[in-house]
């Protein structure tokens, strides 16, 4: 009986140990991700521990801590918490070599283990932009190269033209545990790229708050283009006029040169050149002609022309003019030619000619029309009158003229035969 009781107790003890070992005596860990240079905390927990020791080991199976006892001499590894149900350690200034599987061991029979993987993110270096020629020339084709090293996993490089994203070609090169990433951007340079900022930005999980980027401002040299803008659309005699020469080029084409009809300005007292503008203090008829503004730099020369016609000052204010709906853009050697009757690009009639001759022509035309109309009316009335009084009449002389030798006898015969004479016939229509 005593033997039987002893066996039953033994079986019960083994059963309890097995059940508790299967249900609660098992370490629990979690994977950890940390940025290179940061601090990683490794935690191992267990439930229903009966004072069994916990231990952390590195990927090389070197013991870091056994309970609260430090086993590896590494100043970066410290104990955070050690109890019967938890063992937490920290690794500071983490490097890429610290990455791997760390093992938490629970010293039961048998020993139970759990593994936590420590992932170390390689921080990409600040990008660098190469291939930028300063200054670039209009028409050149250049390739910008953006490079960033040390990323893990491989970083993503993005290009921006000012604030607008543009697409580049990405190349990834492995360098041990990290990656070197490059992105290429090809450009056909024109004058619109002058002063544009090209930015290369690095996107990476380790840079969620402070993205790395580099910016280069493109400088483009190009030949000038010239336009002439008049201050007034209808130049009037005695009026002030300013012609603005707008020249765009890099380097800036200063100063500009003004000429009239291929020669120098004839009256420098009234024709004043101020910077790029030509000012007429008081217009007169002698100012009529073609004015040219010419600008140049080391890349080329451009000019524009303006044909000036000075109108007589009207007694009443001239009608308002409307600016052209479509502005004219000259080429690098474009000429802004205005017809003699209008200072702008679009031609107009001479308002003075209309005031002097238009009224006379209208008056003469009106008089001729009235005369023609009255003449037609008289012809119609006369025609209708003649048509209504058409008939046959016999005079006294005609009534006795057949048998009379002379006119007197005919009259006498007519009076004697008056009763027998044929009566007057008349027809009305």
């Amino acid at each position: 009986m005593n033997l039987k009781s002893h066996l039953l107790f033994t079986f019960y003890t083994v059963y309890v140990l097995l059940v508790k070992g299967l249900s609660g005596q098992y370490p629990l860990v979690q994977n950890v991700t940390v940025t290179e240079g940061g601090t990683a905390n490794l935690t191992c927990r267990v439930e229903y521990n009966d004072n069994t020791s916990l231990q952390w080991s590195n990927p090389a199976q070197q013991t870091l801590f056994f309970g609260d006892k430090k086993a590896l001499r590494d100043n970066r590894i410290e104990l955070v918490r050690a109890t019967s149900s938890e063992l937490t350690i920290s690794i500071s200034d983490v490097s890429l070599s610290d990455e791997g599987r760390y093992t938490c061991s629970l010293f039961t029979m048998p020993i139970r283990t759990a593994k936590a993987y420590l992932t170390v993110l390689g921080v990409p270096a600040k990008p660098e932009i190469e291939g930028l020629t300063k200054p670039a020339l209009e028409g050149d084709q250049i390739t910008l190269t953006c490079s960033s090293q040390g990323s893990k996993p491989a970083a993503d490089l993005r290009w921006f033209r000012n604030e607008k994203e543009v697409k580049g070609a990405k190349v990834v090169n492995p360098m041990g545990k990290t990656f070197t990433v490059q992105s290429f951007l090809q450009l056909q340079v024109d004058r619109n790229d002058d002063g544009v900022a090209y930015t290369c930005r690095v996107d990476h999980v380790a840079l969620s708050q402070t993205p790395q980027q580099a910016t280069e401002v493109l400088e483009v040299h190009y030949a000038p283009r010239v336009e002439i803008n008049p201050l007034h659309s209808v130049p009037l005699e005695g009026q002030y006029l300013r012609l603005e020469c707008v020249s765009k080029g890099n380097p800036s084409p200063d100063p500009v040169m003004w000429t009239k009809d291929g020669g120098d300005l004839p009256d420098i007292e009234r024709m004043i050149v101020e910077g790029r503008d030509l000012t007429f203090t008081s217009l007169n008829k002698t100012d009529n002609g073609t004015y040219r503004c010419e600008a140049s730099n080391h890349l080329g020369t451009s000019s524009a022309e303006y044909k000036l016609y000075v109108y007589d000052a009207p007694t009443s204010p001239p009608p308002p003019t409307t600016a052209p709906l479509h502005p004219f853009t000259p080429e690098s050697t474009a000429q802004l030619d205005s017809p003699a009757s209008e200072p702008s690009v679009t031609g107009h009639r001479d308002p003075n000619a209309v005031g002097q001759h238009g009224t006379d022509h209208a008056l003469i035309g009106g008089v001729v029309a009235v005369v023609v109309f009255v003449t037609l009316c008289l012809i119609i009335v006369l025609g209708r009158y003649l048509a209504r009084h058409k008939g046959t009449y016999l005079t006294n002389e005609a009534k006795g003229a057949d048998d009379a030798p002379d006119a007197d006898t005919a009259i006498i015969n007519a009076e004697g035969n008056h009763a027998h004479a044929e009566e007057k016939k008349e027809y009305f229509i």
Side-chain angles (χ1 to χ4, degrees), residues 56-64 72 77 101-103:
W56 271 112
S57 303
N58 63 13
Q61 296 304 313
Q62 296 172 319
T63 301
L64 302 179
L72 185 66
I77 303 174
R101 295 186 181 276
Y102 288 75
T103 305

Side-chain angles (χ1 to χ4, degrees), residues 63-81:
T63 301
L64 302 179
F65 269 89
F66 184 81
D68 59 355
K69 302 294 189 294
K70 186 175 184 179
L72 185 66
R73 292 183 178 181
D74 190 337
N75 295 331
R76 300 179 304 125
I77 303 174
E78 296 180 356
L79 178 65
V80 177
R81 186 178 183 183

